[in-house]
Amino acid sequence: GVYEEEITVPSTSKHYDPESKFSTQPHQLTKLINHFHENVKYLPNIALPANLIATPSLKESVEGASILIFNLPHQFIGGLCDQMKGHILPYARGISCIKGVDVSSKDVSLFSESIGEKLGIYCGALSGANIANEVAQEKFSETTIAYDPPPMDSRNPTPKGSTPKGQSPYASQLDLTQITEHKDSKGLTSKVRLTAQPSELPPLDHNTIKLLFHRPYFHVSVVSDVAGVSLGGALKNVVALAAGFVAGLGWGDNAKAAVMRVGLLEMVKFGKIFFNNSAHTATFTEESAGVADLITSCSGGRNYRCAKKSIERKVSIQEVEKEELNGQMLQGTSTAEDVNAFLKARGKEAEFPLLTAVHRILKGEIRPEDLPENMERS
């Protein structure tokens, strides 16, 4: 993992001391984090709380934890989960902070459900207008956490006493903790068989989740729509590319607003068609994970910036990506391709004209200047 790398304190750091061994000899990054209470390489000048302890041992970090938070590039999910198997509590629950969805021509799946299936646990999702360095600096922002508590975690099973009017006497005897099945985001019975959380633990419901994450500078809204929150985090990157294209052409704020409006409609439509059992319009139009994240991404996010610069410099977006992102990859370009393959396989490209137009621009099939006529509903 990245925290196993060895570095010296950079000369630009306030902790740099030419007399100190930390500045002259390589040390594990985890040791530097625990010594200075700062990630001197990846999050410089941000004080980390003393109760946050870095460890290069994945086994050690998950041992005994009833709640697991996943925040890493999506391509590492599989390997990470394989290493965690057999080391986590069987009744652990997760929250995935990995934005986006796993799309292929065959299917759309949620990263939270991929984690759940690999580890045999239930996992929700966190997404929103959360630019990392602004959150780290404790500047005000909001987020959305989607968590639909599985039935076996309920602390309110049907009472065994009197039978409520209209219910069978058998229903009144139901012990929800004995249920192992739960529904996935498509309304199907999940392949995962869950273990109920022990009754001595506080219930992991919406109130508890809000208590864990909410801060005066970081406001949390908790919903049950895991699919909507996850889709918002993926599709907004494609819309941001379109916003960057029109900004690079110098078309102004009206054009960008038009792109965002159409983009939001297509995000809602995608959720309603392909996750009709769980995705709610309000998740996209009212939550930070929907409209707010879309606004942020279309104003200054990396997909927007790289698309804008590719037009201004008259070069491919891949070239800008190499020059600007220091080895990191744009999510919007790969998502645009994957989403198009998914829509094409179902004959649905015409129903999503903006998402389709962005893909065609990236492939060189149409010019960015052709976007208005191509994103118009037929």
Side-chain angles (χ1 to χ4, degrees), residues 228-240:
V229 165
S230 302
L231 285 172
L235 299 178
K236 54 95 182 185
N237 288 323
V238 183
V239 182

Side-chain angles (χ1 to χ4, degrees), residues 273-274 342-353 356:
I273 290 178
F274 301 115
F342 177 80
L343 294 174
K344 192 171 187 177
R346 284 152 187 78
K348 297 279 189 185
E349 284 179 295
E351 294 188 41
F352 296 88
T356 301

Side-chain angles (χ1 to χ4, degrees), residues 50-123:
N51 64 349
L52 192 154
I53 299 168
T55 171
S57 167
L58 186 59
K59 179 183 173 182
E60 186 181 304
S61 66
V62 302
E63 202 168 18
S66 58
I67 301 174
L68 304 166
I69 313 299
F70 296 84
N71 198 352
L72 72 161
H74 66 83
Q75 59 265 38
F76 300 123
I77 292 173
L80 184 92
C81 290
D82 288 342
Q83 292 178 61
M84 290 171 66
K85 282 177 189 172
H87 300 298
I88 64 170
L89 295 174
Y91 54 82
R93 299 291 182 255
I95 302 285
S96 166
C97 303
I98 304 160
K99 284 196 177 183
V101 290
D102 191 9
V103 192
S104 68
S105 60
K106 295 178 182 177
D107 196 18
V108 177
S109 57
L110 311 184
F111 290 133
S112 56
E113 290 184 344
S114 300
I115 291 168
E117 286 180 12
K118 281 184 171 291
L119 295 177
I121 64 173
Y122 176 77
C123 187

Side-chain angles (χ1 to χ4, degrees), residues 261-284:
R261 181 192 69 80
V262 174
L264 184 60
L265 289 174
E266 293 192 14
M267 288 163 63
V268 171
K269 190 174 187 178
F270 195 100
K272 298 302 279 185
I273 290 178
F274 301 115
F275 290 86
N276 63 319
N277 284 295
S278 60
H280 301 293
T281 299
T283 306
F284 298 97

Side-chain angles (χ1 to χ4, degrees), residues 138-303:
E138 301 188 1
K139 293 179 176 179
F140 172 66
S141 65
E142 298 177 309
T143 202
T144 309
I145 298 176
Y147 193 89
D148 191 12
M152 70 286 299
D153 287 355
S154 172
R155 293 294 191 272
N156 300 299
T158 310
K160 288 189 177 181
S162 59
T163 305
K165 190 176 180 182
Q167 292 187 12
S168 74
Y170 299 104
S172 66
Q173 305 298 317
L174 187 62
D175 182 359
L176 295 177
T177 62
Q178 298 307 305
I179 298 174
T180 60
E181 292 183 353
H182 70 291
K183 300 287 187 185
D184 66 16
S185 57
K186 292 176 182 169
L188 305 172
T189 299
S190 172
K191 292 182 274 189
V192 179
R193 294 295 175 265
L194 298 175
T195 303
Q197 293 202 305
S199 57
E200 59 267 22
L201 287 179
L204 192 55
D205 54 18
H206 285 191
N207 290 332
T208 305
I209 287 172
K210 184 162 186 172
L211 186 68
L212 289 170
F213 285 88
H214 193 88
R215 295 293 179 270
Y217 59 89
F218 189 68
H219 285 197
V220 174
S221 170
V222 188
V223 299
S224 297
D225 183 5
V226 181
V229 165
S230 302
L231 285 172
L235 299 178
K236 54 95 182 185
N237 288 323
V238 183
V239 182
L241 292 174
F245 291 145
V246 299
L249 290 167
W251 287 357
D253 292 335
N254 293 337
K256 190 164 76 169
V259 163
M260 291 165 68
R261 181 192 69 80
V262 174
L264 184 60
L265 289 174
E266 293 192 14
M267 288 163 63
V268 171
K269 190 174 187 178
F270 195 100
K272 298 302 279 185
I273 290 178
F274 301 115
F275 290 86
N276 63 319
N277 284 295
S278 60
H280 301 293
T281 299
T283 306
F284 298 97
T285 59
E286 299 177 17
E287 293 294 333
S288 180
V291 64
D293 200 9
L294 179 65
I295 292 168
T296 297
S297 299
C298 293
S299 302
R302 63 177 64 173
N303 292 282

